[in-house]
Each structure stands twice: as structure tokens, then as C-alpha cells.
Amino acid sequence: MTSGSTPASDADATTPEGTTRVDRSFGKRGGGYALTEIRRTGDGHRLRVRIHRDPYEHQSHGVVEVLTPTLTWTALADEPASAWHPTTPYRSTSPTPLADLAERLFQRAVAILRVE
């Protein structure tokens, strides 16, 4: 995968839902492109969104995971490619086409983990 990480100045940016960006990478992958972003929640959880947009819908995916105390990533939620694949471009040189999907996935994870 050809990728670029978020510059250090952007890494600790607070996001709309109160999470803090820890790391972000984007690049070409196979015939498509991919975004991986890690954020920290206010209560200390680490969340990772992984999105791969392949030319073929059935080979695309979008998932949000949480880092467990044993340092393994566990899936919390996903969004079927049929919900977002048709509205994204065939190719992209930036993560912009995947940004809305990433935000939805982070918001869902925060809601799932929220202690009431």
C-alpha cells in the first residue's frame, strides 16, 4: 500500500464528536484506495477505522474497531459497501471521499461504548 501518515501537527486534532486523532494514513491499495485512522476517546478507548474502496463493491469494506486491554483490535461496527461504494469515486488521491463514512463509523463506536 502506498500511503502517507498524518503530519504531527494534525495528529492531535480534536474531532467533532470529542475524540482526538492519533494517527491517519491514506493510500493506494490494489486497484483502489484505503484510509486507516486511529482516535482516542475522552474515556480512554482507542478506536480504529479501516476503509478500503476497491473497484469491486464486494471487495470493499468499512469497519470501526476498539483496542482491547490485551492489545487486540475487536470489531464494533461496520457499514455495508452497498451503502457508500456507489457514491465514491473510482480513484482518489486524498481521503476526502471516505471522510463521511469514517465519521459515521467513529460516531457509532462512541455511541456503542458510551457509559450511561
Side-chain angles (χ1 to χ4, degrees), residues 50-52 57 60-64 76-85 87 100-106 108:
R50 292 183 302 120
I51 304 168
H52 173 65
E57 184 177 301
S60 299
H61 67 269
V63 64
V64 62
L76 284 178
D78 64 2
E79 191 157 335
S82 60
W84 55 270
H85 188 273
T87 62
D100 288 342
L101 173 59
E103 286 304 318
R104 283 195 309 273
L105 288 166
F106 279 123
R108 289 176 61 194

Side-chain angles (χ1 to χ4, degrees), residues 36-90:
T36 300
E37 185 170 329
I38 299 173
R39 294 186 186 176
R40 181 177 55 248
T41 66
D43 57 0
H45 289 100
R46 298 290 191 278
L47 302 174
R48 177 174 71 177
V49 161
R50 292 183 302 120
I51 304 168
H52 173 65
R53 202 284 186 192
D54 192 84
Y56 300 103
E57 184 177 301
H58 69 277
Q59 293 180 174
S60 299
H61 67 269
V63 64
V64 62
E65 303 161 312
V66 63
L67 187 63
T68 68
T70 59
L71 301 180
T72 59
W73 292 104
T74 300
L76 284 178
D78 64 2
E79 191 157 335
S82 60
W84 55 270
H85 188 273
T87 62
T88 55
Y90 187 75

Side-chain angles (χ1 to χ4, degrees), residues 1 24-26 33-37 49-52 95 98-99 102:
M1 178 169 151
R24 185 183 214 193
S25 65
F26 172 82
Y33 50 98
L35 170 66
T36 300
E37 185 170 329
V49 161
R50 292 183 302 120
I51 304 168
H52 173 65
L98 304 177

